[in-house]
Amino acid sequence: MTSVLHVAPTGSDLADGADGSPFRTINRAARVAQPGDTVIVHAGEYREWVKPRHGGLSDSRRITYQAAEGEHVVIKGSERITDWVNDGGTVWKAVVGNALFGDFNPYAEQVEGDWVVRPMSGIHLGEVYLNGRSFYEVGSRTEVDRPAERTTVVDDRTQTTVRVHDVEQTRFVWFASVDLETTTIWANFQGADPNTETAEINVRRSVFYPTEHHLDYITVRGFELAHAACPWTPPTADQPALIGPNWAKGWIIEDNTIHDAKCSAISLGKEASTGNNLAAQRGDKPGYQYQLQSVFAARQIGWDREHIGSHIVRRNTIHDCGQNAIVGHLGCVFSTIEDNHIYNIATKREFYGHEIAGIKLHAAIDVTIRHNRIHDTTLGIWLDWQTQGTRVSRNLLYANNRDIYVEVSHGPYLLEHNVFGSPVSIEVMSQGGAFVNNLICGTVVVVAVPERPTPYHRPHSTQVAGYAAIHAGDDRYIGNVFLGGDIASAYGPGSRDGEVAGYGTAFYNGHPTSLASYIALVGDPSKGDHNRFEDVKQPVYIRDNVYGPGATPFEGEQGAVQADVTATVIDEGDHVYLSASGFDAVRIPAVSGRDLPPVRIVDAEFEEPDGTPAILDVDLVGVRKTEGPAGPLTNPGQRVQVW
């Protein structure tokens, strides 16, 4: 028999949770809730780390946590501090007993781990907020009095300085000192009184995150979730976040507003037993090797469709996080990420490492990333390792440093009906991709990575089928619209070799245009079994794309058209519009997996998760088509609402 449990700020944890006798804390309800139960949380502010004790048994017998209809429920990992003492001018001091933090003091824990690049020390997981605005940490008490007037912004691709400028918000800064019994925090509130305004500090690592594995089939719906002191989440470590399933199956995270995670907001990622920052701790092997080991270790603890993944993350607004909006290695398999609005990710630039993006997934096997709006991030989507059966459909990316990066994967993966609207649109250090009906406003980069062989899998499975080097190519481009531009303005001076970055597809020049041609090129057995493949470019399949002024087609393309195409993304807050012209220069039938040659290394087709051929007949705004112009819209025009 299922139950409905109620939680309210006016309740008591000694109550029974009935409608007229609610619990006071969500954690009390979490201890009681059983499969099939619903926990309804009423309006108010809850400062706790919700740690579910039980999971559901199936999709129809899940445990659901939801905000009461029409009520605003906030769950925070912070605490409000109201006993600040003025310490001179605009600087205030708070002395906090360490008992507030328990066994995890975020002001003693640094942002560190595998692939952290800078700073190597000094940035902690703690945070100070004034009326919801996060501050910047500085390195000494003296700097709190004299906040930096200027800051250096470093390009995340090249590690070169691209600009130095005044940053007004860095004047809101803090510094902390931790001893055995207390944590002292100094903060420059710039004239505000923190005892009368809302001044908060990070206290808890997470906000909604189980401490045990395999608590399956949980739904979290309709909350505002904020202020988590969660750690750096590389793919070779435990990946805790503000909210996540912690190595489980079948979660639904929907209709929430999630913000101010120190590192990652939502984790669909791995756990610690398969590796936990061993490259940084030991220094004996590269992170690449530990990551490879983690794949095989995960198989030994039940990494498969029956036990892990199949999550849904939808209709959330996720913003102002230091590392990722959504992160996951291994645990994200078979999941769907759709209809989310993601922005202001890693834009504070307090720390940097090689795992930062709006959505950063490793081993995204049969993952669908559909109809998300992603802007104002240092990198929109980063698909890294084992991108196989992955489908990126109908997404709107713009105003990012870079839009999408696919790294060391063998495919098949599919990017279709997306807008890549930033100056740097697509970076590919992979093979086996298909790019269909996209608007590509910026540059495209394709790079071979033969020194990092990576695994591939049996189709629609986590079972490893082999591993191979990345030689680039084996890609398909059909019905895309490429705008032209200037390489220097997209990348900055000296940041990219023009031979590997360009507008259009001409960087594939020299690749054969069929598998038969490729086989003929590698057909000399006197060169040795593997040596004859090493320096031969893989085939590419490119047709029916539209190229604007300054964009250049692949020399072997059939049906390429040069046209005076234009496109502008217009952001008006709640709504986004696309103004486009010239896309009708090419019209093509809707593409299916049958139109896309299988990938060479994996020997796999472009399929739906059920094994049927992929169907690509829905455009950016949901219009179903049988044929249409190049690009993501069936009916492009001067002002089409796309969000």
Side-chain angles (χ1 to χ4, degrees), residues 178-197:
V178 179
D179 61 31
L180 290 177
E181 296 184 354
T182 63
T183 296
T184 303
I185 302 171
W186 293 268
N188 193 325
F189 289 98
Q190 293 301 313
D193 182 345
N195 294 320
T196 57
E197 307 284 346

Side-chain angles (χ1 to χ4, degrees), residues 4 11 61 67 249 258 285 295 323 342 436 473 480 601:
V4 176
R61 290 189 289 171
K249 178 178 178 177
I258 307 171
K285 289 185 283 192
V295 175
Q323 182 183 349
I342 295 170
V436 179
N480 301 284
I601 290 293

